[in-house]
Amino acid sequence: MENKDNLNSLIEILKGAERVVILTGAGISAESGVPTFRGQDGLWKTYRAEDLATPTAFSHNPQLVWEWYDWRRGLICSKEPNSGHKVIARWEKFFPSFHLITQNIDGLHQKAGSKKVFELHGNIWKIRCTEEDTVMENHDTPLREIPPKCPECGALLRPHVVWFGESLESSVLHNAFYLSANCQVIFVVGTSAVVQPAASLPLTAAEAGAKIVEVNPTSTPLTAYANFSFRGGAGEILPLIDEKLRLISSD
Ligand code: APR
């Protein structure tokens, strides 16, 4: 098997790359102390997604669902971006066209300074009125009231995140597939690459001739399709690549 972790040949490709996309998952926030979903201490090992992250669960027991999201907000609010997040924020200015597509709802990319972020699964710091569909930012930890009510109409508020069985926001999804189909390199960092439609983005990019660069401590269903696959944490591998890139750009 050709070695897929050849940093020098990746740098050669990145030298000429203008349009770069990066797709991230829970793994990029693991080194910041945010639990992943399917990893060893992953959330879905402890909690049942069907009880907490579906529209049915919310209609049955909004109190329980909100208690869980309040706990997660409490966990995330004290976390800081790690060196992986910071490199990605820097690359926004390094590559002529660089876009970040994330499955994460933790907001750590924005906290690291990333501006051009497509959030496929929503954001845990946003809440939405179930009646009027208005979206508002809320950083209260803990929430003042569980379940929270809409300040305008008094209806139940829900987390502005995408639950299992729900469709993604069409404009975000459209942009994500458009950017993936038009990039030259797509980095895939910290995702188990099993959840759709996100898991199809790298394959869409490859079909259009782009190189797939995977960063993950373990192999995933995507590894077989990847041109490069680096075994290690995002906080370790991305700074390594960045260091080499800076060297060539200072030449
Ligand atoms: N750096 C990079 N990758 C890591 C690290 C790290 N430090 N630590 C763990 N990983 C990898 C794991 O090996 C795993 O492949 O991150 C991946 C995390 O996978 P999941 O927990 O399945 O998370 P993700 O792929 O983002 O899940 C997709 O599923 O539950 C839903 O909506 C939720 O957005 C989420 C979606």
mmCIF file with all atom_site columns, all heavy atoms in Angstrom, residues 130-156:
data_model
loop_
_atom_site.group_PDB
_atom_site.id
_atom_site.type_symbol
_atom_site.label_atom_id
_atom_site.label_alt_id
_atom_site.label_comp_id
_atom_site.label_asym_id
_atom_site.label_entity_id
_atom_site.label_seq_id
_atom_site.pdbx_PDB_ins_code
_atom_site.Cartn_x
_atom_site.Cartn_y
_atom_site.Cartn_z
_atom_site.occupancy
_atom_site.B_iso_or_equiv
_atom_site.pdbx_formal_charge
_atom_site.auth_seq_id
_atom_site.auth_comp_id
_atom_site.auth_asym_id
_atom_site.auth_atom_id
_atom_site.pdbx_PDB_model_num
ATOM 1   N N   . THR A 1 130 ? -40.035 27.569 18.358 1.00 0.00 ? 130 THR A N   1
ATOM 2   C CA  . THR A 1 130 ? -40.725 26.482 17.654 1.00 0.00 ? 130 THR A CA  1
ATOM 3   C C   . THR A 1 130 ? -41.974 26.989 16.943 1.00 0.00 ? 130 THR A C   1
ATOM 4   O O   . THR A 1 130 ? -42.503 26.312 16.063 1.00 0.00 ? 130 THR A O   1
ATOM 5   C CB  . THR A 1 130 ? -41.133 25.384 18.660 1.00 0.00 ? 130 THR A CB  1
ATOM 6   O OG1 . THR A 1 130 ? -41.880 26.002 19.716 1.00 0.00 ? 130 THR A OG1 1
ATOM 7   C CG2 . THR A 1 130 ? -39.929 24.671 19.234 1.00 0.00 ? 130 THR A CG2 1
ATOM 8   N N   . GLU A 1 131 ? -42.425 28.205 17.312 1.00 0.00 ? 131 GLU A N   1
ATOM 9   C CA  . GLU A 1 131 ? -43.630 28.779 16.688 1.00 0.00 ? 131 GLU A CA  1
ATOM 10  C C   . GLU A 1 131 ? -43.256 29.678 15.518 1.00 0.00 ? 131 GLU A C   1
ATOM 11  O O   . GLU A 1 131 ? -43.673 29.473 14.379 1.00 0.00 ? 131 GLU A O   1
ATOM 12  C CB  . GLU A 1 131 ? -44.376 29.596 17.771 1.00 0.00 ? 131 GLU A CB  1
ATOM 13  C CG  . GLU A 1 131 ? -45.852 29.816 17.549 1.00 0.00 ? 131 GLU A CG  1
ATOM 14  C CD  . GLU A 1 131 ? -46.595 28.497 17.337 1.00 0.00 ? 131 GLU A CD  1
ATOM 15  O OE1 . GLU A 1 131 ? -46.362 27.540 18.124 1.00 0.00 ? 131 GLU A OE1 1
ATOM 16  O OE2 . GLU A 1 131 ? -47.329 28.397 16.335 1.00 0.00 ? 131 GLU A OE2 1
ATOM 17  N N   . GLU A 1 132 ? -42.388 30.669 15.782 1.00 0.00 ? 132 GLU A N   1
ATOM 18  C CA  . GLU A 1 132 ? -42.070 31.692 14.767 1.00 0.00 ? 132 GLU A CA  1
ATOM 19  C C   . GLU A 1 132 ? -40.810 31.356 13.968 1.00 0.00 ? 132 GLU A C   1
ATOM 20  O O   . GLU A 1 132 ? -40.473 32.052 13.005 1.00 0.00 ? 132 GLU A O   1
ATOM 21  C CB  . GLU A 1 132 ? -41.881 33.041 15.450 1.00 0.00 ? 132 GLU A CB  1
ATOM 22  C CG  . GLU A 1 132 ? -43.045 33.501 16.298 1.00 0.00 ? 132 GLU A CG  1
ATOM 23  C CD  . GLU A 1 132 ? -42.584 34.559 17.297 1.00 0.00 ? 132 GLU A CD  1
ATOM 24  O OE1 . GLU A 1 132 ? -41.522 34.328 17.927 1.00 0.00 ? 132 GLU A OE1 1
ATOM 25  O OE2 . GLU A 1 132 ? -43.231 35.595 17.378 1.00 0.00 ? 132 GLU A OE2 1
ATOM 26  N N   . ASP A 1 133 ? -40.060 30.353 14.401 1.00 0.00 ? 133 ASP A N   1
ATOM 27  C CA  . ASP A 1 133 ? -38.823 29.955 13.699 1.00 0.00 ? 133 ASP A CA  1
ATOM 28  C C   . ASP A 1 133 ? -37.710 30.994 13.784 1.00 0.00 ? 133 ASP A C   1
ATOM 29  O O   . ASP A 1 133 ? -36.703 30.874 13.107 1.00 0.00 ? 133 ASP A O   1
ATOM 30  C CB  . ASP A 1 133 ? -39.137 29.676 12.207 1.00 0.00 ? 133 ASP A CB  1
ATOM 31  C CG  . ASP A 1 133 ? -38.631 28.263 11.832 1.00 0.00 ? 133 ASP A CG  1
ATOM 32  O OD1 . ASP A 1 133 ? -38.366 27.492 12.777 1.00 0.00 ? 133 ASP A OD1 1
ATOM 33  O OD2 . ASP A 1 133 ? -38.481 27.984 10.639 1.00 0.00 ? 133 ASP A OD2 1
ATOM 34  N N   . THR A 1 134 ? -37.875 31.997 14.630 1.00 0.00 ? 134 THR A N   1
ATOM 35  C CA  . THR A 1 134 ? -36.808 33.000 14.780 1.00 0.00 ? 134 THR A CA  1
ATOM 36  C C   . THR A 1 134 ? -35.632 32.377 15.523 1.00 0.00 ? 134 THR A C   1
ATOM 37  O O   . THR A 1 134 ? -35.834 31.578 16.431 1.00 0.00 ? 134 THR A O   1
ATOM 38  C CB  . THR A 1 134 ? -37.320 34.202 15.600 1.00 0.00 ? 134 THR A CB  1
ATOM 39  O OG1 . THR A 1 134 ? -38.166 33.683 16.644 1.00 0.00 ? 134 THR A OG1 1
ATOM 40  C CG2 . THR A 1 134 ? -38.102 35.167 14.744 1.00 0.00 ? 134 THR A CG2 1
ATOM 41  N N   . VAL A 1 135 ? -34.431 32.749 15.113 1.00 0.00 ? 135 VAL A N   1
ATOM 42  C CA  . VAL A 1 135 ? -33.201 32.205 15.713 1.00 0.00 ? 135 VAL A CA  1
ATOM 43  C C   . VAL A 1 135 ? -32.527 33.312 16.514 1.00 0.00 ? 135 VAL A C   1
ATOM 44  O O   . VAL A 1 135 ? -32.423 34.441 16.035 1.00 0.00 ? 135 VAL A O   1
ATOM 45  C CB  . VAL A 1 135 ? -32.249 31.675 14.609 1.00 0.00 ? 135 VAL A CB  1
ATOM 46  C CG1 . VAL A 1 135 ? -30.924 31.216 15.221 1.00 0.00 ? 135 VAL A CG1 1
ATOM 47  C CG2 . VAL A 1 135 ? -32.911 30.560 13.825 1.00 0.00 ? 135 VAL A CG2 1
ATOM 48  N N   . MET A 1 136 ? -32.115 33.011 17.738 1.00 0.00 ? 136 MET A N   1
ATOM 49  C CA  . MET A 1 136 ? -31.432 34.019 18.553 1.00 0.00 ? 136 MET A CA  1
ATOM 50  C C   . MET A 1 136 ? -30.200 33.388 19.216 1.00 0.00 ? 136 MET A C   1
ATOM 51  O O   . MET A 1 136 ? -30.173 32.187 19.449 1.00 0.00 ? 136 MET A O   1
ATOM 52  C CB  . MET A 1 136 ? -32.380 34.613 19.586 1.00 0.00 ? 136 MET A CB  1
ATOM 53  C CG  . MET A 1 136 ? -33.134 33.585 20.391 1.00 0.00 ? 136 MET A CG  1
ATOM 54  S SD  . MET A 1 136 ? -34.747 34.126 20.994 1.00 0.00 ? 136 MET A SD  1
ATOM 55  C CE  . MET A 1 136 ? -35.839 33.409 19.770 1.00 0.00 ? 136 MET A CE  1
ATOM 56  N N   . GLU A 1 137 ? -29.191 34.244 19.488 1.00 0.00 ? 137 GLU A N   1
ATOM 57  C CA  . GLU A 1 137 ? -27.983 33.748 20.177 1.00 0.00 ? 137 GLU A CA  1
ATOM 58  C C   . GLU A 1 137 ? -28.267 33.741 21.677 1.00 0.00 ? 137 GLU A C   1
ATOM 59  O O   . GLU A 1 137 ? -28.968 34.609 22.175 1.00 0.00 ? 137 GLU A O   1
ATOM 60  C CB  . GLU A 1 137 ? -26.801 34.700 19.913 1.00 0.00 ? 137 GLU A CB  1
ATOM 61  C CG  . GLU A 1 137 ? -26.159 34.484 18.582 1.00 0.00 ? 137 GLU A CG  1
ATOM 62  C CD  . GLU A 1 137 ? -24.619 34.305 18.635 1.00 0.00 ? 137 GLU A CD  1
ATOM 63  O OE1 . GLU A 1 137 ? -24.040 34.240 19.742 1.00 0.00 ? 137 GLU A OE1 1
ATOM 64  O OE2 . GLU A 1 137 ? -24.053 34.234 17.547 1.00 0.00 ? 137 GLU A OE2 1
ATOM 65  N N   . ASN A 1 138 ? -27.750 32.747 22.363 1.00 0.00 ? 138 ASN A N   1
ATOM 66  C CA  . ASN A 1 138 ? -27.918 32.699 23.822 1.00 0.00 ? 138 ASN A CA  1
ATOM 67  C C   . ASN A 1 138 ? -26.726 31.967 24.421 1.00 0.00 ? 138 ASN A C   1
ATOM 68  O O   . ASN A 1 138 ? -26.479 30.821 24.056 1.00 0.00 ? 138 ASN A O   1
ATOM 69  C CB  . ASN A 1 138 ? -29.217 31.971 24.182 1.00 0.00 ? 138 ASN A CB  1
ATOM 70  C CG  . ASN A 1 138 ? -29.362 31.820 25.687 1.00 0.00 ? 138 ASN A CG  1
ATOM 71  O OD1 . ASN A 1 138 ? -28.508 31.215 26.323 1.00 0.00 ? 138 ASN A OD1 1
ATOM 72  N ND2 . ASN A 1 138 ? -30.413 32.380 26.230 1.00 0.00 ? 138 ASN A ND2 1
ATOM 73  N N   . HIS A 1 139 ? -25.994 32.661 25.282 1.00 0.00 ? 139 HIS A N   1
ATOM 74  C CA  . HIS A 1 139 ? -24.793 32.064 25.875 1.00 0.00 ? 139 HIS A CA  1
ATOM 75  C C   . HIS A 1 139 ? -24.945 31.833 27.378 1.00 0.00 ? 139 HIS A C   1
ATOM 76  O O   . HIS A 1 139 ? -23.972 31.646 28.087 1.00 0.00 ? 139 HIS A O   1
ATOM 77  C CB  . HIS A 1 139 ? -23.568 32.956 25.583 1.00 0.00 ? 139 HIS A CB  1
ATOM 78  C CG  . HIS A 1 139 ? -23.146 32.911 24.144 1.00 0.00 ? 139 HIS A CG  1
ATOM 79  N ND1 . HIS A 1 139 ? -22.156 32.067 23.680 1.00 0.00 ? 139 HIS A ND1 1
ATOM 80  C CD2 . HIS A 1 139 ? -23.634 33.549 23.048 1.00 0.00 ? 139 HIS A CD2 1
ATOM 81  C CE1 . HIS A 1 139 ? -22.009 32.234 22.368 1.00 0.00 ? 139 HIS A CE1 1
ATOM 82  N NE2 . HIS A 1 139 ? -22.905 33.119 21.965 1.00 0.00 ? 139 HIS A NE2 1
ATOM 83  N N   . ASP A 1 140 ? -26.223 31.855 27.858 1.00 0.00 ? 140 ASP A N   1
ATOM 84  C CA  . ASP A 1 140 ? -26.441 31.657 29.293 1.00 0.00 ? 140 ASP A CA  1
ATOM 85  C C   . ASP A 1 140 ? -26.045 30.240 29.701 1.00 0.00 ? 140 ASP A C   1
ATOM 86  O O   . ASP A 1 140 ? -26.550 29.265 29.144 1.00 0.00 ? 140 ASP A O   1
ATOM 87  C CB  . ASP A 1 140 ? -27.932 31.840 29.659 1.00 0.00 ? 140 ASP A CB  1
ATOM 88  C CG  . ASP A 1 140 ? -28.421 33.254 29.369 1.00 0.00 ? 140 ASP A CG  1
ATOM 89  O OD1 . ASP A 1 140 ? -27.549 34.124 29.176 1.00 0.00 ? 140 ASP A OD1 1
ATOM 90  O OD2 . ASP A 1 140 ? -29.646 33.453 29.292 1.00 0.00 ? 140 ASP A OD2 1
ATOM 91  N N   . THR A 1 141 ? -25.124 30.107 30.633 1.00 0.00 ? 141 THR A N   1
ATOM 92  C CA  . THR A 1 141 ? -24.789 28.784 31.182 1.00 0.00 ? 141 THR A CA  1
ATOM 93  C C   . THR A 1 141 ? -24.729 28.904 32.700 1.00 0.00 ? 141 THR A C   1
ATOM 94  O O   . THR A 1 141 ? -23.852 29.610 33.214 1.00 0.00 ? 141 THR A O   1
ATOM 95  C CB  . THR A 1 141 ? -23.409 28.302 30.673 1.00 0.00 ? 141 THR A CB  1
ATOM 96  O OG1 . THR A 1 141 ? -22.476 29.374 30.846 1.00 0.00 ? 141 THR A OG1 1
ATOM 97  C CG2 . THR A 1 141 ? -23.436 27.878 29.234 1.00 0.00 ? 141 THR A CG2 1
ATOM 98  N N   . PRO A 1 142 ? -25.651 28.288 33.439 1.00 0.00 ? 142 PRO A N   1
ATOM 99  C CA  . PRO A 1 142 ? -26.758 27.515 32.882 1.00 0.00 ? 142 PRO A CA  1
ATOM 100 C C   . PRO A 1 142 ? -27.870 28.398 32.331 1.00 0.00 ? 142 PRO A C   1
ATOM 101 O O   . PRO A 1 142 ? -27.888 29.599 32.569 1.00 0.00 ? 142 PRO A O   1
ATOM 102 C CB  . PRO A 1 142 ? -27.260 26.717 34.089 1.00 0.00 ? 142 PRO A CB  1
ATOM 103 C CG  . PRO A 1 142 ? -26.943 27.586 35.268 1.00 0.00 ? 142 PRO A CG  1
ATOM 104 C CD  . PRO A 1 142 ? -25.658 28.278 34.918 1.00 0.00 ? 142 PRO A CD  1
ATOM 105 N N   . LEU A 1 143 ? -28.756 27.774 31.581 1.00 0.00 ? 143 LEU A N   1
ATOM 106 C CA  . LEU A 1 143 ? -29.930 28.487 31.074 1.00 0.00 ? 143 LEU A CA  1
ATOM 107 C C   . LEU A 1 143 ? -30.755 28.952 32.266 1.00 0.00 ? 143 LEU A C   1
ATOM 108 O O   . LEU A 1 143 ? -30.802 28.293 33.301 1.00 0.00 ? 143 LEU A O   1
ATOM 109 C CB  . LEU A 1 143 ? -30.759 27.546 30.200 1.00 0.00 ? 143 LEU A CB  1
ATOM 110 C CG  . LEU A 1 143 ? -30.204 27.276 28.804 1.00 0.00 ? 143 LEU A CG  1
ATOM 111 C CD1 . LEU A 1 143 ? -30.815 26.015 28.230 1.00 0.00 ? 143 LEU A CD1 1
ATOM 112 C CD2 . LEU A 1 143 ? -30.451 28.468 27.891 1.00 0.00 ? 143 LEU A CD2 1
ATOM 113 N N   . ARG A 1 144 ? -31.397 30.157 32.109 1.00 0.00 ? 144 ARG A N   1
ATOM 114 C CA  . ARG A 1 144 ? -32.161 30.697 33.239 1.00 0.00 ? 144 ARG A CA  1
ATOM 115 C C   . ARG A 1 144 ? -33.429 29.882 33.484 1.00 0.00 ? 144 ARG A C   1
ATOM 116 O O   . ARG A 1 144 ? -33.903 29.782 34.613 1.00 0.00 ? 144 ARG A O   1
ATOM 117 C CB  . ARG A 1 144 ? -32.511 32.158 32.964 1.00 0.00 ? 144 ARG A CB  1
ATOM 118 C CG  . ARG A 1 144 ? -31.266 32.990 32.925 1.00 0.00 ? 144 ARG A CG  1
ATOM 119 C CD  . ARG A 1 144 ? -31.478 34.471 32.821 1.00 0.00 ? 144 ARG A CD  1
ATOM 120 N NE  . ARG A 1 144 ? -30.211 35.033 32.313 1.00 0.00 ? 144 ARG A NE  1
ATOM 121 C CZ  . ARG A 1 144 ? -30.173 36.142 31.607 1.00 0.00 ? 144 ARG A CZ  1
ATOM 122 N NH1 . ARG A 1 144 ? -31.273 36.809 31.365 1.00 0.00 ? 144 ARG A NH1 1
ATOM 123 N NH2 . ARG A 1 144 ? -29.034 36.589 31.136 1.00 0.00 ? 144 ARG A NH2 1
ATOM 124 N N   . GLU A 1 145 ? -33.968 29.302 32.409 1.00 0.00 ? 145 GLU A N   1
ATOM 125 C CA  . GLU A 1 145 ? -35.230 28.569 32.514 1.00 0.00 ? 145 GLU A CA  1
ATOM 126 C C   . GLU A 1 145 ? -35.118 27.320 31.638 1.00 0.00 ? 145 GLU A C   1
ATOM 127 O O   . GLU A 1 145 ? -34.594 27.391 30.535 1.00 0.00 ? 145 GLU A O   1
ATOM 128 C CB  . GLU A 1 145 ? -36.348 29.484 32.004 1.00 0.00 ? 145 GLU A CB  1
ATOM 129 C CG  . GLU A 1 145 ? -37.730 28.897 31.969 1.00 0.00 ? 145 GLU A CG  1
ATOM 130 C CD  . GLU A 1 145 ? -38.695 29.715 31.090 1.00 0.00 ? 145 GLU A CD  1
ATOM 131 O OE1 . GLU A 1 145 ? -38.213 30.490 30.214 1.00 0.00 ? 145 GLU A OE1 1
ATOM 132 O OE2 . GLU A 1 145 ? -39.905 29.573 31.265 1.00 0.00 ? 145 GLU A OE2 1
ATOM 133 N N   . ILE A 1 146 ? -35.545 26.156 32.165 1.00 0.00 ? 146 ILE A N   1
ATOM 134 C CA  . ILE A 1 146 ? -35.531 24.935 31.343 1.00 0.00 ? 146 ILE A CA  1
ATOM 135 C C   . ILE A 1 146 ? -36.927 24.323 31.384 1.00 0.00 ? 146 ILE A C   1
ATOM 136 O O   . ILE A 1 146 ? -37.438 24.082 32.485 1.00 0.00 ? 146 ILE A O   1
ATOM 137 C CB  . ILE A 1 146 ? -34.492 23.929 31.869 1.00 0.00 ? 146 ILE A CB  1
ATOM 138 C CG1 . ILE A 1 146 ? -33.082 24.463 31.598 1.00 0.00 ? 146 ILE A CG1 1
ATOM 139 C CG2 . ILE A 1 146 ? -34.667 22.568 31.194 1.00 0.00 ? 146 ILE A CG2 1
ATOM 140 C CD1 . ILE A 1 146 ? -31.956 23.484 31.899 1.00 0.00 ? 146 ILE A CD1 1
ATOM 141 N N   . PRO A 1 147 ? -37.595 24.086 30.263 1.00 0.00 ? 147 PRO A N   1
ATOM 142 C CA  . PRO A 1 147 ? -37.188 24.510 28.928 1.00 0.00 ? 147 PRO A CA  1
ATOM 143 C C   . PRO A 1 147 ? -37.393 26.012 28.726 1.00 0.00 ? 147 PRO A C   1
ATOM 144 O O   . PRO A 1 147 ? -38.349 26.572 29.250 1.00 0.00 ? 147 PRO A O   1
ATOM 145 C CB  . PRO A 1 147 ? -38.094 23.717 28.000 1.00 0.00 ? 147 PRO A CB  1
ATOM 146 C CG  . PRO A 1 147 ? -39.343 23.468 28.799 1.00 0.00 ? 147 PRO A CG  1
ATOM 147 C CD  . PRO A 1 147 ? -38.880 23.336 30.222 1.00 0.00 ? 147 PRO A CD  1
ATOM 148 N N   . PRO A 1 148 ? -36.504 26.664 27.967 1.00 0.00 ? 148 PRO A N   1
ATOM 149 C CA  . PRO A 1 148 ? -36.630 28.101 27.723 1.00 0.00 ? 148 PRO A CA  1
ATOM 150 C C   . PRO A 1 148 ? -37.815 28.432 26.809 1.00 0.00 ? 148 PRO A C   1
ATOM 151 O O   . PRO A 1 148 ? -38.199 27.611 25.968 1.00 0.00 ? 148 PRO A O   1
ATOM 152 C CB  . PRO A 1 148 ? -35.296 28.454 27.051 1.00 0.00 ? 148 PRO A CB  1
ATOM 153 C CG  . PRO A 1 148 ? -34.793 27.187 26.464 1.00 0.00 ? 148 PRO A CG  1
ATOM 154 C CD  . PRO A 1 148 ? -35.332 26.080 27.310 1.00 0.00 ? 148 PRO A CD  1
ATOM 155 N N   . LYS A 1 149 ? -38.412 29.631 27.039 1.00 0.00 ? 149 LYS A N   1
ATOM 156 C CA  . LYS A 1 149 ? -39.566 30.071 26.235 1.00 0.00 ? 149 LYS A CA  1
ATOM 157 C C   . LYS A 1 149 ? -39.197 31.278 25.393 1.00 0.00 ? 149 LYS A C   1
ATOM 158 O O   . LYS A 1 149 ? -38.336 32.060 25.771 1.00 0.00 ? 149 LYS A O   1
ATOM 159 C CB  . LYS A 1 149 ? -40.726 30.445 27.174 1.00 0.00 ? 149 LYS A CB  1
ATOM 160 C CG  . LYS A 1 149 ? -41.118 29.357 28.158 1.00 0.00 ? 149 LYS A CG  1
ATOM 161 C CD  . LYS A 1 149 ? -41.914 28.258 27.476 1.00 0.00 ? 149 LYS A CD  1
ATOM 162 C CE  . LYS A 1 149 ? -42.370 27.130 28.394 1.00 0.00 ? 149 LYS A CE  1
ATOM 163 N NZ  . LYS A 1 149 ? -41.720 27.003 29.682 1.00 0.00 ? 149 LYS A NZ  1
ATOM 164 N N   . CYS A 1 150 ? -39.908 31.441 24.290 1.00 0.00 ? 150 CYS A N   1
ATOM 165 C CA  . CYS A 1 150 ? -39.631 32.555 23.369 1.00 0.00 ? 150 CYS A CA  1
ATOM 166 C C   . CYS A 1 150 ? -39.992 33.884 24.028 1.00 0.00 ? 150 CYS A C   1
ATOM 167 O O   . CYS A 1 150 ? -41.122 34.056 24.499 1.00 0.00 ? 150 CYS A O   1
ATOM 168 C CB  . CYS A 1 150 ? -40.434 32.386 22.076 1.00 0.00 ? 150 CYS A CB  1
ATOM 169 S SG  . CYS A 1 150 ? -40.201 33.779 20.945 1.00 0.00 ? 150 CYS A SG  1
ATOM 170 N N   . PRO A 1 151 ? -39.058 34.840 24.066 1.00 0.00 ? 151 PRO A N   1
ATOM 171 C CA  . PRO A 1 151 ? -39.339 36.144 24.698 1.00 0.00 ? 151 PRO A CA  1
ATOM 172 C C   . PRO A 1 151 ? -40.422 36.926 23.940 1.00 0.00 ? 151 PRO A C   1
ATOM 173 O O   . PRO A 1 151 ? -41.102 37.769 24.525 1.00 0.00 ? 151 PRO A O   1
ATOM 174 C CB  . PRO A 1 151 ? -37.994 36.861 24.639 1.00 0.00 ? 151 PRO A CB  1
ATOM 175 C CG  . PRO A 1 151 ? -37.201 36.155 23.598 1.00 0.00 ? 151 PRO A CG  1
ATOM 176 C CD  . PRO A 1 151 ? -37.715 34.755 23.530 1.00 0.00 ? 151 PRO A CD  1
ATOM 177 N N   . GLU A 1 152 ? -40.632 36.605 22.663 1.00 0.00 ? 152 GLU A N   1
ATOM 178 C CA  . GLU A 1 152 ? -41.639 37.313 21.856 1.00 0.00 ? 152 GLU A CA  1
ATOM 179 C C   . GLU A 1 152 ? -43.032 36.711 22.053 1.00 0.00 ? 152 GLU A C   1
ATOM 180 O O   . GLU A 1 152 ? -43.975 37.391 22.430 1.00 0.00 ? 152 GLU A O   1
ATOM 181 C CB  . GLU A 1 152 ? -41.274 37.249 20.354 1.00 0.00 ? 152 GLU A CB  1
ATOM 182 C CG  . GLU A 1 152 ? -39.926 37.807 19.984 1.00 0.00 ? 152 GLU A CG  1
ATOM 183 C CD  . GLU A 1 152 ? -39.774 39.264 20.476 1.00 0.00 ? 152 GLU A CD  1
ATOM 184 O OE1 . GLU A 1 152 ? -40.763 40.011 20.397 1.00 0.00 ? 152 GLU A OE1 1
ATOM 185 O OE2 . GLU A 1 152 ? -38.673 39.575 20.989 1.00 0.00 ? 152 GLU A OE2 1
ATOM 186 N N   . CYS A 1 153 ? -43.131 35.369 21.827 1.00 0.00 ? 153 CYS A N   1
ATOM 187 C CA  . CYS A 1 153 ? -44.469 34.767 21.794 1.00 0.00 ? 153 CYS A CA  1
ATOM 188 C C   . CYS A 1 153 ? -44.719 33.754 22.914 1.00 0.00 ? 153 CYS A C   1
ATOM 189 O O   . CYS A 1 153 ? -45.828 33.229 23.030 1.00 0.00 ? 153 CYS A O   1
ATOM 190 C CB  . CYS A 1 153 ? -44.687 34.108 20.438 1.00 0.00 ? 153 CYS A CB  1
ATOM 191 S SG  . CYS A 1 153 ? -43.719 32.594 20.241 1.00 0.00 ? 153 CYS A SG  1
ATOM 192 N N   . GLY A 1 154 ? -43.681 33.474 23.704 1.00 0.00 ? 154 GLY A N   1
ATOM 193 C CA  . GLY A 1 154 ? -43.877 32.567 24.834 1.00 0.00 ? 154 GLY A CA  1
ATOM 194 C C   . GLY A 1 154 ? -43.851 31.089 24.462 1.00 0.00 ? 154 GLY A C   1
ATOM 195 O O   . GLY A 1 154 ? -43.961 30.213 25.325 1.00 0.00 ? 154 GLY A O   1
ATOM 196 N N   . ALA A 1 155 ? -43.691 30.793 23.155 1.00 0.00 ? 155 ALA A N   1
ATOM 197 C CA  . ALA A 1 155 ? -43.665 29.382 22.732 1.00 0.00 ? 155 ALA A CA  1
ATOM 198 C C   . ALA A 1 155 ? -42.348 28.728 23.167 1.00 0.00 ? 155 ALA A C   1
ATOM 199 O O   . ALA A 1 155 ? -41.398 29.401 23.561 1.00 0.00 ? 155 ALA A O   1
ATOM 200 C CB  . ALA A 1 155 ? -43.802 29.288 21.213 1.00 0.00 ? 155 ALA A CB  1
ATOM 201 N N   . LEU A 1 156 ? -42.314 27.395 23.084 1.00 0.00 ? 156 LEU A N   1
ATOM 202 C CA  . LEU A 1 156 ? -41.117 26.635 23.456 1.00 0.00 ? 156 LEU A CA  1
ATOM 203 C C   . LEU A 1 156 ? -39.966 26.991 22.505 1.00 0.00 ? 156 LEU A C   1
ATOM 204 O O   . LEU A 1 156 ? -40.172 27.154 21.297 1.00 0.00 ? 156 LEU A O   1
ATOM 205 C CB  . LEU A 1 156 ? -41.457 25.150 23.298 1.00 0.00 ? 156 LEU A CB  1
ATOM 206 C CG  . LEU A 1 156 ? -40.580 24.086 23.934 1.00 0.00 ? 156 LEU A CG  1
ATOM 207 C CD1 . LEU A 1 156 ? -40.403 24.337 25.424 1.00 0.00 ? 156 LEU A CD1 1
ATOM 208 C CD2 . LEU A 1 156 ? -41.190 22.704 23.689 1.00 0.00 ? 156 LEU A CD2 1
#
